Amino acid sequence: MTSETHTEARRRRMSVLARCNSNRLHELWDKLRLEPAHKTLRGPESGLIMLRGRIGGTGEPFNIGEATVTRASVKLEDGTVGHAIALGRDGAKARISALIDALCQTMEAAVLIDAELIAPISQELDCDDEKRRQQTAATRVDFFTMVRGED
Amino acid sequence: MYVAVKGGEAAIDNAHRLLADRRRGDRSVPTLGLDQIAEQFALSVDRVMSEGSLYDRRLAALAIKQARGDLIEAIFLVRAYRTTLPRFGHSEPVDTGAMQVERRISACFKDLPGGQLLGPTFDYTHRLLDDELDGDPAVEPGALRDGAAEPATQIADILGGEGLIEEDPLAPGEPGDINQTPMEFPLSRAMRLQSLSRGDEGFLLALGYSTQRGYARSHPFVGEIRIGEVEVEVFVPELGFAVPVGRVQLTECQMVNQFKGSAKTPPQFTRGYGLVFGQSERKAMAMSLCDRALRAEELGEDIVAPPQDQEFVISHCDNVQATGFVEHLKLPHYVDFQAELGLVRTMRAEYEATRNEDVEIREAAE
């Protein structure tokens, strides 16, 4: 795996973990029975990040307001470090996400976790998105023109 | 002068106990769960997040419950809570163009790419009270419509080609933060937008309304309103790349305004911008009207009305500051009042004395 695709895979996993429902994550994580020995380097700790937008949607950045985030960093026995950060105040989710990030730096574990945990959650999230998109699409206005008079 | 006065502890304790009692209300009515507030009072939650300047649905729901539904009190609670948390940094600027759109309309173009998507709107309802909601009627899920996803083009991209609408080219920059620097006027547009985004909806609505009625006329059109979720990314130094941390729901309004041009700029449409947490198009629209009015100086327009005066607008749009200063008047001012009472008595005595003198002089003259 090149470092570029490695980073992309890591980002994609983090994106799925950040958005996933806490109960669902616990359920799939417990099923994997991995729970590796580790040290906590940081957190889980909650704090704020300032959310930024752009003037006019595309211009200079500006601050919109803050959001709560929770982050955690862990170190496995072999020295691999994992990080996690997600919106909200769910410490347990941050800890599991950091463990997953650390484990997935080994090819073998990554394949297992991607298949058993990331893929199903990702699919469910995509499914929700698609349902919302279709619900929105149903509210699309189809204009029609009334022909009046005779030519 | 401030003089320490003691007493009232028991009264205060009992007042708070009574507040808790009244908040709970009739015990035979089930207590409200935070999920119920977050799900069924979603737009109140959005307002509290927006004006509390903190995106966290559950905290906003808790604040609404604790404040007995008083939204400004809830906003105050959220603002206070914010100060207890450390700041980890800032996000990358969100890309509203890539929004997962739940509603998107334009009043300028009927057939814009992506279409007019009404979404869950109050528009076109008849505003008749629905007796059925007194109970718990079964509710159908939203209808579905198949078909390929079509990206919703942003308004500037439609007219931008002709150069008829002002563009906001991608720019770097470190925006000032009104939370971390004292406010000094004139403020940059970035700092004004931060302040407006958490400003009081009612205040901004009234000011925006006044611009339509002729105070700082700006001929607005809704170029586009979009509501939906955007991805948030935070750069994590330990990793060396930006990490997606989840999504937030935003409402964006692009107001398009006629502009006759100036010495430097040809006639074109200019834009006012609104971007707020949650689903709140009234607030986003009002914000964009105020943003455009506040650009008067930049665009070489005469400053003739309050909405164009940034010190007036920005200093008064924060409802936590406003409520703090207005409501502090009810706190004990016994000593101040005694001092003023003494002063008014003296002035009154002087007034009476002069009047008596005048009468005596007039009588003497007669």
Side-chain angles (χ1 to χ4, degrees), chain B residues 84-106:
Chain B
T84 65
L85 291 175
R87 172 83 75 88
F88 290 166
H90 61 83
S91 78
E92 300 299 302
V94 296
D95 180 4
T96 52
M99 181 183 279
Q100 166 99 6
V101 169
E102 291 160 51
R103 167 166 167 81
R104 185 284 198 111
I105 51 159
S106 170

Side-chain angles (χ1 to χ4, degrees), chain B residues 117-331:
Chain B
L117 304 164
L118 301 182
T121 182
F122 291 119
D123 294 352
Y124 315 109
T125 61
H126 293 104
R127 265 79 182 204
L128 297 173
L129 281 174
D130 180 359
D131 286 336
E132 279 207 2
L133 287 176
D134 194 6
D136 185 15
V139 178
E140 281 185 298
L144 301 176
R145 177 169 167 170
D146 264 340
E150 201 181 322
T153 312
Q154 284 178 300
I155 184 81
D157 297 337
I158 297 172
L159 278 183
E162 292 177 73
L164 291 180
I165 193 164
E166 173 191 31
E167 288 188 60
D168 283 301
L170 194 71
E174 203 40 50
D177 185 346
I178 55 170
N179 290 330
Q180 296 183 327
T181 42
M183 250 190 235
E184 267 178 53
F185 294 99
L187 285 175
S188 65
R189 189 173 173 204
M191 286 172 89
R192 294 198 307 257
L193 287 172
Q194 181 183 3
S195 180
L196 294 174
S197 184
R198 74 177 196 192
D200 182 74
E201 180 173 319
F203 181 78
L204 298 182
L205 178 67
L207 280 179
Y209 178 42
S210 78
T211 69
Q212 288 179 280
R213 291 193 63 256
Y215 295 85
R217 286 182 77 82
S218 57
H219 307 275
F221 295 94
V222 168
E224 190 194 41
I225 292 170
R226 56 172 66 199
I227 303 175
E229 288 188 338
V230 295
E231 200 89 42
V232 178
E233 295 197 352
V234 176
F235 183 82
V236 177
E238 294 87 338
L239 289 166
F241 57 86
V243 174
V245 296
R247 291 182 183 173
V248 293
Q249 188 193 37
L250 298 175
T251 302
E252 181 186 55
C253 176
Q254 301 273 8
M255 201 61 86
V256 175
N257 304 74
Q258 200 189 89
F259 178 57
K260 59 182 191 296
S262 66
K264 282 180 282 178
T265 328
Q268 60 176 312
F269 290 106
T270 54
R271 287 189 291 159
Y273 189 61
L275 185 67
V276 298
F277 285 163
Q279 175 176 345
S280 179
E281 62 191 35
R282 185 188 302 118
K283 166 90 178 274
M285 291 176 76
M287 174 175 171
S288 61
L289 289 172
C290 290
D291 172 49
R292 177 59 185 80
L294 288 171
R295 296 180 63 203
E297 196 172 346
E298 171 200 343
L299 295 169
E301 296 167 337
D302 293 333
I303 297 181
V304 293
Q308 297 168 309
D309 180 339
Q310 46 169 291
E311 194 159 348
F312 180 80
V313 176
I314 304 297
S315 306
H316 300 117
C317 70
D318 190 302
N319 55 24
V320 177
Q321 277 172 11
T323 203
F325 204 49
V326 168
E327 291 202 49
H328 104 281
L329 290 173
K330 70 195 170 187
L331 297 176

